[in-house]
Amino acid sequence: MNLVDPNIVSNFVEWKDANKDNFTWWSYVNIKSDIQGALAFANFFCPEIITKDNCILLKDHFDQKNYDDWKERLNGDKTQIEKIMNLYEIQDFFHINSDTNDPFYNEQIKALAKSIQFYWSLTLQHNHPDKNIIVSVFEEYDTLCITVYEGLE
């Protein structure tokens, strides 16, 4: 299973072309990152959730004031609170270091969304087998978004 088409990662392709038959994704990660970055990505792709008033919320994205505001606005609707509190625009995960002029930028955002959805779903299902946690990727106002919520059974 290949989540990412290597052709949309121009730098990887350049390195692979320069190192025929001797360059892999492992090689690329070794050049582009370090152990601290790898550990950060391990946690990024395996999120933790917290529970507030029976709502499941992404721990690293949680803000108490924001939660209180949405809880009041949405009249305590658990599913809607989860959907809005866990909502994140995919492009914002790496907006500081992204080249939006890259000809493959949109494909990269889609591949990232697919990868996040895959790993978050596996992690949340593994860590919370008693819950029907849904990781949803969708487009809103021409922007790819992700959210997490507990589906009703």
Side-chain angles (χ1 to χ4, degrees):
M1 177 176 152
N2 199 359
L3 285 173
V4 178
D5 175 0
N7 295 312
I8 68 170
V9 184
S10 304
N11 196 246
F12 174 81
V13 172
E14 289 173 20
W15 277 94
K16 187 159 182 63
D17 287 346
N19 298 279
K20 297 278 186 209
D21 301 322
N22 195 23
F23 196 79
T24 66
W25 282 109
W26 288 15
S27 307
Y28 187 71
V29 166
N30 191 292
I31 291 168
K32 295 297 280 187
S33 195
D34 59 26
I35 193 167
Q36 292 178 31
L39 294 172
F41 274 108
N43 284 318
F44 173 79
F45 281 109
C46 298
E48 291 181 63
I49 61 170
I50 58 172
T51 305
K52 290 273 186 190
D53 304 318
N54 203 32
C55 290
I56 58 161
L57 305 162
L58 294 169
K59 180 181 174 185
D60 287 342
H61 190 52
F62 181 76
D63 176 271
Q64 184 67 48
K65 182 183 179 328
N66 199 16
Y67 172 76
D68 292 339
D69 290 346
W70 281 114
K71 183 179 173 187
E72 183 177 333
R73 280 187 205 175
L74 298 170
N75 298 316
D77 184 322
K78 173 189 173 339
T79 302
Q80 294 306 312
I81 292 168
E82 290 171 346
K83 285 180 178 181
I84 197 72
M85 284 294 299
N86 295 325
L87 179 70
Y88 206 81
E89 293 181 13
I90 299 296
Q91 65 190 17
D92 285 349
F93 280 118
F94 301 101
H95 69 278
I96 294 172
N97 295 314
S98 293
D99 179 4
T100 57
N101 295 318
D102 186 307
F104 295 107
Y105 180 73
N106 289 331
E107 288 85 358
Q108 292 167 358
I109 293 297
K110 289 175 187 174
L112 178 61
K114 181 180 172 183
S115 298
I116 293 170
Q117 183 181 33
F118 178 79
Y119 288 109
W120 284 14
S121 293
L122 283 176
T123 297
L124 295 171
Q125 185 178 36
H126 178 267
N127 291 342
H128 306 279
D130 57 319
K131 297 184 182 299
N132 179 29
I133 299 177
I134 297 166
V135 180
S136 175
V137 172
F138 61 96
E139 194 168 317
E140 185 170 276
Y141 306 111
D142 295 326
T143 302
L144 207 52
C145 299
I146 193 165
T147 193
V148 174
Y149 61 97
E150 188 171 10
L152 303 175
E153 295 187 283

